[in-house]
Amino acid sequence: MNRAELEERLLLLVDQQVITTHASDVTKLAFERLIDSLNVRELEQAEMLFTHLPTALSRIGNGESVEGPAPEIMSEIKTSPHFHLAEKQVIFIEGQWGKELPLEEKEYLYMHYTNVINLTVEGE
């Protein structure tokens, strides 16, 4: 996924009122942050992450609750060599969003980020 593909996806979601403009803006910043952190121009298989992020932020903004991934999945994700970078990305998102995210949502983001970082860096 590159910047142009992200912009197109977010514009469609905003136009269809699936996500808020603020969620779209935070997602663009999060994408740029990850691109810069990995020193790449594109992210491998990042469509799910960068669709999940703005929809989750919009749901949270509307006061909807979320459920996290299974504890077994989180145990595996936390062993990834990329988990620490995923945590940093989520902290950045919270700063841009303006408040702390629910733990359940952070866990989903850790999972998606760890996967995208792994695929982009290691190609696996």
Side-chain angles (χ1 to χ4, degrees), residues 7 13 15 18 38 40-41 62 66 73 84-85 105 109 124:
E7 290 277 346
L13 292 171
D15 284 348
V18 174
L38 298 177
V40 296
R41 301 178 117 199
N62 290 333
V66 293
I73 292 173
H84 185 62
L85 180 56
E105 187 50 48
L109 290 173
E124 297 176 6

Side-chain angles (χ1 to χ4, degrees), residues 39-104:
N39 196 26
V40 296
R41 301 178 117 199
E42 294 190 12
L43 298 170
E44 295 296 325
Q45 299 184 26
E47 291 81 3
M48 185 176 291
L49 168 60
F50 289 102
T51 300
H52 174 88
L53 177 57
T55 54
L57 292 175
S58 295
R59 285 194 317 267
I60 292 166
N62 290 333
E64 297 179 32
S65 61
V66 293
E67 291 185 30
E72 300 81 21
I73 292 173
M74 283 313 302
S75 294
E76 183 178 335
I77 295 298
K78 289 179 180 178
T79 64
S80 167
H82 306 296
F83 183 75
H84 185 62
L85 180 56
E87 284 183 307
K88 287 183 174 181
Q89 302 301 310
V90 173
I91 290 169
F92 175 79
I93 290 168
E94 288 180 316
Q96 298 304 311
W97 183 244
K99 54 187 163 185
E100 187 173 349
L101 298 174
L103 175 62
E104 296 83 0

